[in-house]
Amino acid sequence: MEPINILLVEDNPGDIRLTQEALLDSKIRNNLEIAMDGEQALKKLQEEGYRPDVIFLDLNMPRVSGREVLVDIKSDPELKKIPVVILTTSQNEEDILHSYNNYCNCYITKPIDLEQFIKLVQSIDNFWFSIVKLPT
Amino acid sequence: MEKIILLIEDNPTDAAHVKEALKDCGLSYRLYTVTNGEDALSKLNSKDFIRPSLIILDLFLPGLDGWKILECLKSDSSLRTIPVSILTVSGEQSDIIRAYKNMANCYIVKPPDPGQYRDILQSLCRFWFETARLPEF
């Protein structure tokens, strides 16, 4: 089976490291690409031939926010098929509603506790990579 | 809080598998089943029906099919925030891509072995009710 290509859009180096660590233990082979802000993410997604299978998107980032990236992805006829998992510290009801209104595939809040963070990434991994069928 | 799941499935055997799979899963939920698209939309638009937290949608239905229902749900400003999980026999990439392009939240293929329904359905509901955050209404 081909490895799953994940684009992680995240500006916090600690969260990037934890996500990398959690995904190392995944049963499913995966390649993790990092974009440190929304601008980098959109630039990467415009690269010819680059199509991640799934995008993990933080909301609060410098320059171009995750909210704008989500709107751009889901209004692009070619990119909108890529599932976008919002992964953020924001528990704000407005952010949750805005994200679902703009067709995020799911919204997940990051726990502060490290062990819980690892467990969370593993449960995302288990659901999206083993149970769900992704577009390829 | 008890979650409402709306299952849109015309095949009684598959609907029974879903119902059975979610038994004793430790989650607090109520499962409503409708067997066609017309009933699904009239239920969702009825003032007396409680808004579901999750919709499980088969694609191949008589009359108004799953594609049309998905389109109706995702173009309706009050319904589009409800997660829609496709549950279908088709594992064709063309259907998978079409479903995501039409804003399905996730896509699951029905297992050939009924014994696998339990693992799949419980993972689905645990993910949506315990891992993901849903909008509050």
Side-chain angles (χ1 to χ4, degrees):
Chain A
M1 208 171 106
E2 289 288 306
I4 290 181
N5 294 305
I6 308 160
L7 174 62
L8 172 64
V9 191
E10 171 64 75
D11 64 322
N12 181 324
D15 288 352
I16 294 174
R17 195 174 44 81
L18 283 176
T19 310
Q20 282 169 325
E21 269 178 37
L23 287 171
L24 276 180
D25 295 333
S26 172
K27 286 177 281 177
I28 309 293
R29 278 197 308 141
N30 59 77
N31 292 325
L32 186 68
E33 285 263 352
I34 317 282
M36 297 281 287
D37 60 45
E39 202 176 271
Q40 267 189 31
L42 291 174
K43 216 170 153 185
K44 240 181 199 325
L45 289 165
Q46 297 310 327
E47 280 172 21
E48 215 179 297
Y50 179 66
R51 283 288 172 274
D53 297 306
V54 62
I55 298 171
F56 294 168
L57 178 65
D58 187 18
L59 288 183
N60 299 314
M61 291 178 296
R63 288 182 287 277
V64 180
S65 75
R67 295 166 193 84
E68 293 164 82
V69 175
L70 175 66
V71 171
D72 271 27
I73 292 172
K74 293 299 180 181
S75 53
D76 182 299
E78 265 312 299
L79 297 176
K80 68 180 178 185
K81 67 174 184 184
I82 307 171
V84 176
V85 174
I86 302 291
L87 200 51
T88 175
T89 50
S90 170
Q91 311 234 17
N92 189 329
E93 195 53 40
E94 260 178 49
D95 278 333
I96 299 174
L97 203 55
H98 176 271
S99 299
Y100 281 107
N101 261 320
N102 286 286
Y103 306 113
C104 77
N105 291 75
C106 66
Y107 188 105
I108 294 170
T109 48
K110 293 188 248 188
I112 301 162
D113 181 83
L114 297 188
E115 216 169 288
Q116 279 182 14
F117 187 97
I118 302 263
K119 272 195 185 150
L120 177 86
V121 175
Q122 286 165 346
S123 87
I124 297 171
D125 163 3
N126 173 57
F127 182 67
W128 282 96
F129 304 162
S130 299
I131 305 287
V132 164
K133 287 279 177 202
L134 294 169
T136 50
Chain B
M1 207 175 81
E2 191 177 61
K3 305 281 188 194
I4 305 289
I5 305 168
L6 178 64
L7 171 67
I8 309 171
E9 171 64 77
D10 65 319
N11 181 320
T13 311
D14 289 350
H17 286 325
V18 171
K19 197 174 171 189
E20 186 61 32
L22 289 174
K23 249 188 196 170
D24 312 318
C25 66
L27 293 166
S28 176
Y29 71 92
R30 202 181 310 164
L31 178 71
Y32 290 93
T33 306
V34 289
T35 55
N36 64 68
E38 287 80 2
D39 284 358
L41 292 180
S42 87
K43 226 178 181 46
L44 285 163
N45 286 309
S46 151
K47 279 188 190 135
D48 302 327
F49 185 61
I50 309 163
R51 185 186 169 88
S53 300
L54 176 67
I55 295 173
I56 302 174
L57 175 64
D58 185 19
L59 287 178
F60 307 111
L61 299 164
L64 204 61
D65 66 12
W67 298 113
K68 192 70 200 153
I69 300 170
L70 182 61
E71 199 184 308
C72 290
L73 292 173
K74 293 300 178 180
S75 57
D76 182 311
S77 58
S78 66
L79 297 175
R80 70 175 172 198
T81 55
I82 305 171
V84 176
S85 173
I86 303 295
L87 183 65
T88 175
V89 287
S90 169
E92 292 293 324
Q93 263 302 317
S94 56
D95 285 333
I96 297 172
I97 290 171
R98 182 176 171 196
Y100 283 110
K101 280 193 170 177
N102 284 288
M103 307 304 179
N105 292 76
C106 62
Y107 189 107
I108 294 174
V109 176
K110 288 178 187 173
D113 170 10
Q116 293 173 314
Y117 266 87
R118 195 178 167 82
D119 185 31
I120 290 174
L121 265 296
Q122 293 199 5
S123 295
L124 172 74
C125 291
R126 278 191 201 292
F127 178 80
W128 285 105
F129 300 160
E130 291 179 346
T131 306
R133 287 287 303 264
L134 298 169
E136 278 168 20
F137 285 93

